Every structure is written in C-alpha cells, then in structure tokens.
Amino acid sequence: MQFNKLGTSCPDCRLADLCLPYGLPANEVVQLANIVRKKRPLKADEHLYLQGEECQSLYAIKSGSFRSYITNPDGSEQIIGFNFPGELMGIDSLYYGRFTSSAVALETGSVCELPLPRLNALCAEFPGLQSQVLRVLGKEIAADRDKIVLLGHRSAQEKISIFLLMLSKRYGALGFSEREFNLPMRRQDIANFLGLTIETVSRQLAELNKQGIVRIKHRNVEIKDPLQLKALVEPCHSHCSSASLG
Amino acid sequence: MQFNKLGTSCPDCRLADLCLPYGLPANEVVQLANIVRKKRPLKADEHLYLQGEECQSLYAIKSGSFRSYITNPDGSEQIIGFNFPGELMGIDSLYYGRFTSSAVALETGSVCELPLPRLNALCAEFPGLQSQVLRVLGKEIAADRDKIVLLGHRSAQEKISIFLLMLSKRYGALGFSEREFNLPMRRQDIANFLGLTIETVSRQLAELNKQGIVRIKHRNVEIKDPLQLKALVEPCHSHCSSASLG
DNA sequence: CGGTCATTTGACAAATTTCAAGGGGGGTGG
DNA sequence: CCACCCCCCTTGAAATTTGTCAAATGACCG
C-alpha cells in the first residue's frame, strides 16, 4: 500500500467520511488513495488554480481554507464561495474542461490532487465511486442553491447572520466548535461574497456585537446566542411568498 | 423502435442536441429514448414536482417554460431559476434523493420523464451516457455560478439588463429570435429571482424603455440596442476588484 | 519604531423599498 | 357581445437601507 509523503492517505485520513471515500468499500478507498498524486502545501494568498487554466485535476482540501472567485470580463471579481477541509474543488469546471473560477488559499493549507483521467478510469471500474462523484456534484449544486437563496432579497443583517451560521455549521461538521471560531477571510471577502460593502459588513458585525448576540474581536467570532442569531435570519417574508401560487 | 405517444422520441427530437442525447452514438440514443417513460403535458401553474417529494425521475423539458423555487422554513419563497426546453430539471435533488426545490409550469408545456433507476442502469452500460450526465451536472453548476455572480453586488438596472440578456441568449440557443421574445413569467417572478421588489423591476424596465434600449409592452420584449444593453452590465466595478490580490 | 494594510466609525448621498393609489387586460358570466 | 371583476402592472411620494467619501484607529511586519 502506497502512502503519500505529506499526511496520511485516504484509508487513514480523518476527513475520509466528509470526502470522496465516504461509504466506499475499503479496497476501493485504497485504489482511490493510489491515484492521489500529491498533496501540495500552499501558503496564504497562493493560488491553487486560475480561471481559464486547463482543468486536469480535482482537488480535495486536506487542511486550511480557500476562496473561490470569478473574474468578470471587466476585471471585477466576485467571490462565489469559501472552501474548507473535506470539500472538493474544481468540480464547477468539469463541464468546460477549463477552470471557470480561481481558487486561492486564505491561510496555509494542503490539498489532495485527483488527476481527472485516472479518476475517470477508476470510476469506470467502480460504479460505487462513480455514484459517489455524482453525489458530490449534487451536493455542490445544493450548496450553490443555498448561496442563491442567501443572496436573494435579504437585508444586510440577514446576510451576515446567515453567513455566520453557515460557517458555524461547517466548522461543527468538521468536529470544531460551532460556538467559537476564527474567520479565515477578510471583511472585504465577506462583503464581496454577500454583495455588500465592507463598511456595511463592519457595521452589521458591530451591531450584532452591541446586541450581545455575538462577540467579535478582529477575526475571532464567538456566538453568544445562537437562537437569537437564527431568529434574525427568518423574519416574516410575507411579501416574498407571493411567488408561489401553485 | 418504440415511440412515445406524445411528441417524437429522442432520435427525432429537434432538441436532442441541447439535451442528454447530445454527442451520443445513435444506438445509445435509441436506448435512452426507450427509458423515457412518458411525456406529461402540464398547464400553467401546474406543478411538475414539489420540494420534499421523493426524487425518482429527472425531467427534460420538451416545450414550455418552468419556474423553480425553494420554500424557506418560514414559508417565504425564493425563485432559483427559470427553465426552458432542452434543460434537465431535478438534478439539484440527486444528492438528497428528495426534491430540494419545487417546479411549476409558467405556461402550457411538456416534459420527458427519465426514471432514475433505469437511467443509472443505462449509465452503467454506456460510459458515454455516464459522462454526458456528468457534463449536464457540470453545466448546471456553471449556470448556478452565473446566478451567484448575477445576484452579487449589482444595481437593479444591471440585474434587469443581465436578466434580459440571459433570456435573449437562451432563446437564441433554442433557435428563436434573440431580439424579440415574450416573457413567460410575471414581474413578481422576475423581482423575486433578482432579489428586488416588483416596483423596482417595473421602474427599471420603464427606464430601459424610455431610453430606447428595449421596447417593453406587457410581456413582449424587443431589444432595440443590444450593445447598449450589454454596456449597462459592465460598468467599472473597481471597488469590487480588491477581492483578488493573489 | 515606522509603515502598510485591515478595520472601524461618522456624515452625507444615492439607491431601493415601502406605502398608496390608479390603470389596463383578459377571462367569466350575464 | 358587453360589463364586470380580478389580477397584474405601473406610477408617485415618502421612508429606510445601503453605499460613498473621508478620516481615524489598530494590528502586523520588517
């Protein structure tokens, strides 16, 4: 059994249940681990890939956090998401064969590289892996749907609250505290992602702080009152509901 | 060779190149056509599926147009997209096995139903179909990314302009006019989708009308000056660009 | 210790929403 | 065939939110 130089391979990876190997029989996990080409350590602000490059591999995050963004034709940029350990990056590029977004490390981190040709070959061999890839893609679509809902017709305070709760939940899923964590991204990144200005983000965070719902110091977040934070997210949207009919 | 009762089967469908059969060898297309269970005609405001239902089939749109929306826990709704012929609906639900959104017809239309068990079986048999499904999923992800970019930090006028251009492009891809088409959805649907109020949508459309860029009468849209419309979409977003660094 | 960058804060401006009222089309029933 | 009604859409004025501009504070790094 081969092991990669940096870190442990899939059978021993503590993230296996959050990543591609989830639910696969042991022998398939070993095969999967064998095609993982290398684990690249990246420093903060180092790019994992650039929009437009040929997409030859997918990347599973092993540690650290990343920011994905799209560069518009006019040069402006839009952050489309933040990524954490166990997540697969690059799958938005499967369709075009080239990366449709860029990915950059927010802090020191490492990834597992999955060469697409070898991954495809393995999928043809193991239907279980194939459907697992489908599931991951489906999960990605579901996550994007959540982002669309997050961005649609919500106040700055709601967006910020949802954002904090989203991070809290994801840290929880990784086995970290849901109540207290560090923001790996700058205020500006949050603002860009949420479609707000940096000043509005700062003011809304200050407001949540003042109300005692969260305690924010620099990039450290402590959620003091999760229930109240959740309550901010779902006020009466009666005027939105009219979209239904049915 | 079997034919479905309503409409033509895949080998003869004029949408084949926009749909799942694209690029597949003829014999595989025939097999695919054989698993298409039925083509359901739907009237306006009739639901194709409801959020929470078990997802047993995917649906390819044959004619008409649809609106997909998510119902939030508080009862409010968020439209996540509009769908046109050749597009596959339900793939956002593959991960959970249940529909994560509801789909309703905006006008009279019909769909091809693809039962998932039979589709999966066929995928196992034909790797080409399998990768085609992957491509469609990738396309869906790319489309969702476009929506996220559309919703992020853009003015009402930009959103409306992008929306009109998006529709124009899609009608063009279907072989219809890019310059003149009918909106199948209400103003309220547009507003909900774009994260605006119905009044803002109405005012922005009136403004584009007044400037002579488009001519809008009820639900009929004629794009008089596509270049100027495109110019509205990409003003200088200098303040957004700072998200990059790298 | 100085410089740079991220963040906060304040005052003002602009965009969008809210509230309110008034047309206009299409469909139904007389 | 016409009148009526309902719903969709438009328009106006005021209120609110958010963005813009400007300046100050604070953290981090060499």
Side-chain angles (χ1 to χ4, degrees):
Chain A
M1 198 193 298
Q2 291 182 355
F3 281 90
N4 300 87
K5 284 168 195 153
L6 300 166
T8 48
S9 74
C10 298
D12 301 313
C13 182
R14 70 177 181 84
L15 294 169
D17 283 353
L18 298 164
C19 196
L20 220 43
Y22 173 76
L24 292 181
N27 65 313
E28 296 188 13
V29 176
V30 172
Q31 295 264 31
L32 181 62
N34 279 340
I35 74 165
V36 173
R37 184 141 15 122
K38 55 184 175 180
K39 297 184 176 69
R40 280 170 42 183
L42 288 105
K43 284 176 287 188
D45 295 331
E46 213 175 325
H47 273 85
L48 181 57
Y49 50 76
L50 282 170
Q51 182 174 338
E53 282 178 355
E54 198 179 341
C55 174
Q56 296 175 314
S57 299
L58 299 184
Y59 298 93
I61 302 178
K62 195 152 181 61
S63 66
S65 53
F66 292 79
R67 153 169 72 82
S68 292
Y69 64 92
I70 287 175
T71 306
N72 293 314
D74 64 351
S76 68
E77 293 175 355
Q78 169 69 45
I79 295 177
I80 55 175
F82 300 102
N83 296 275
F84 294 95
E87 294 174 2
L88 225 53
M89 301 191 72
I91 54 183
D92 55 317
S93 307
L94 280 180
Y95 179 63
Y96 292 110
R98 290 182 173 275
F99 288 110
T100 57
S101 59
S102 302
V104 64
L106 290 169
E107 58 193 318
T108 301
S110 63
V111 298
C112 302
E113 180 172 352
L114 297 154
L116 278 175
R118 305 194 64 182
L119 184 61
N120 283 330
L122 214 57
C123 281
E125 199 175 340
F126 302 125
L129 180 58
Q130 176 71 67
S131 55
Q132 182 64 7
V133 169
L134 277 182
R135 282 171 53 83
V136 170
L137 282 170
K139 193 176 178 183
E140 181 78 8
I141 292 175
D144 280 353
R145 292 298 154 88
D146 286 346
K147 281 174 209 159
I148 292 172
V149 172
L150 160 60
L151 292 172
H153 205 76
R154 302 193 106 99
S155 71
Q157 191 173 56
E158 283 176 273
K159 286 181 179 177
I160 290 285
S161 302
I162 295 173
F163 179 74
L164 290 177
L165 288 169
M166 234 166 66
L167 283 185
S168 162
K169 197 174 162 190
R170 288 164 89 175
Y171 279 121
L174 285 171
F176 298 120
S177 168
E178 293 191 2
R179 296 291 292 269
E180 202 255 337
F181 49 85
N182 281 306
L183 299 172
M185 71 292 287
R186 303 171 306 171
R187 297 286 188 272
Q188 189 131 27
D189 295 331
I190 301 175
N192 181 297
F193 177 61
L194 295 177
L196 300 169
T197 60
I198 180 175
E199 293 94 333
T200 299
V201 168
S202 184
R203 272 187 262 266
Q204 293 300 334
L205 287 177
E207 179 63 24
L208 289 177
N209 212 12
K210 196 178 117 194
Q211 290 178 21
I213 296 173
V214 300
R215 209 185 63 82
I216 300 199
K217 180 85 175 176
H218 313 311
R219 292 195 179 180
N220 184 267
V221 176
E222 187 187 348
I223 299 179
K224 308 287 282 188
D225 191 342
L227 288 180
Q228 209 174 338
L229 191 58
K230 279 172 195 153
L232 288 179
V233 170
E234 286 167 9
C236 179
H237 285 289
S238 55
H239 59 287
C240 293
S241 309
S242 43
S244 76
L245 307 174
Chain B
M1 199 193 298
Q2 293 182 352
F3 281 91
N4 299 89
K5 285 169 194 154
L6 301 165
T8 48
S9 75
C10 299
D12 302 313
C13 181
R14 69 177 182 83
L15 293 169
D17 282 353
L18 298 165
C19 195
L20 221 43
Y22 173 77
L24 293 182
N27 64 314
E28 296 188 13
V29 176
V30 172
Q31 295 263 31
L32 181 63
N34 279 338
I35 75 163
V36 174
R37 181 134 25 114
K38 55 184 173 180
K39 298 183 176 70
R40 280 170 42 183
L42 287 106
K43 285 176 287 188
D45 295 330
E46 214 175 324
H47 273 85
L48 181 57
Y49 50 76
L50 282 169
Q51 182 173 339
E53 282 178 355
E54 198 180 339
C55 173
Q56 296 175 314
S57 299
L58 300 183
Y59 298 92
I61 303 178
K62 193 151 184 63
S63 66
S65 53
F66 292 79
R67 153 170 72 83
S68 293
Y69 64 93
I70 287 175
T71 305
N72 293 315
D74 64 351
S76 69
E77 292 175 355
Q78 169 69 46
I79 295 178
I80 54 175
F82 300 102
N83 295 275
F84 295 95
E87 294 175 2
L88 225 53
M89 301 189 72
I91 53 183
D92 55 317
S93 307
L94 281 180
Y95 180 62
Y96 293 110
R98 291 182 173 274
F99 288 110
T100 57
S101 59
S102 302
V104 65
L106 290 169
E107 58 193 318
T108 300
S110 63
V111 298
C112 302
E113 180 172 352
L114 298 153
L116 278 175
R118 304 194 64 181
L119 184 62
N120 282 330
L122 215 58
C123 280
E125 200 175 339
F126 301 126
L129 179 59
Q130 175 71 67
S131 55
Q132 183 65 7
V133 169
L134 276 182
R135 282 171 52 85
V136 170
L137 281 170
K139 194 178 179 182
E140 180 78 8
I141 292 175
D144 280 352
R145 291 298 154 88
D146 286 345
K147 282 174 210 158
I148 292 172
V149 172
L150 161 60
L151 292 172
H153 205 74
R154 302 192 106 99
S155 71
Q157 191 173 57
E158 284 176 273
K159 286 181 178 176
I160 289 285
S161 302
I162 295 174
F163 180 74
L164 290 177
L165 287 170
M166 233 165 68
L167 282 185
S168 162
K169 197 174 164 191
R170 287 164 91 176
Y171 279 120
L174 285 172
F176 298 120
S177 168
E178 293 191 2
R179 295 292 291 268
E180 201 255 336
F181 49 86
N182 282 306
L183 300 172
M185 72 291 287
R186 302 172 305 171
R187 297 284 189 273
Q188 189 132 26
D189 295 331
I190 301 175
N192 182 296
F193 177 61
L194 295 177
L196 300 169
T197 60
I198 181 176
E199 293 95 333
T200 300
V201 169
S202 184
R203 272 186 264 264
Q204 294 299 334
L205 287 177
E207 180 62 25
L208 289 176
N209 212 13
K210 197 178 116 194
Q211 291 178 20
I213 297 174
V214 300
R215 208 185 63 81
I216 299 200
K217 180 87 174 173
H218 312 311
R219 292 196 181 180
N220 184 268
V221 176
E222 187 187 347
I223 299 179
K224 308 288 282 187
D225 191 340
L227 288 180
Q228 209 173 339
L229 191 58
K230 279 171 194 153
L232 288 180
V233 171
E234 286 168 8
C236 180
H237 285 289
S238 55
H239 58 287
C240 294
S241 311
S242 44
S244 76
L245 307 173

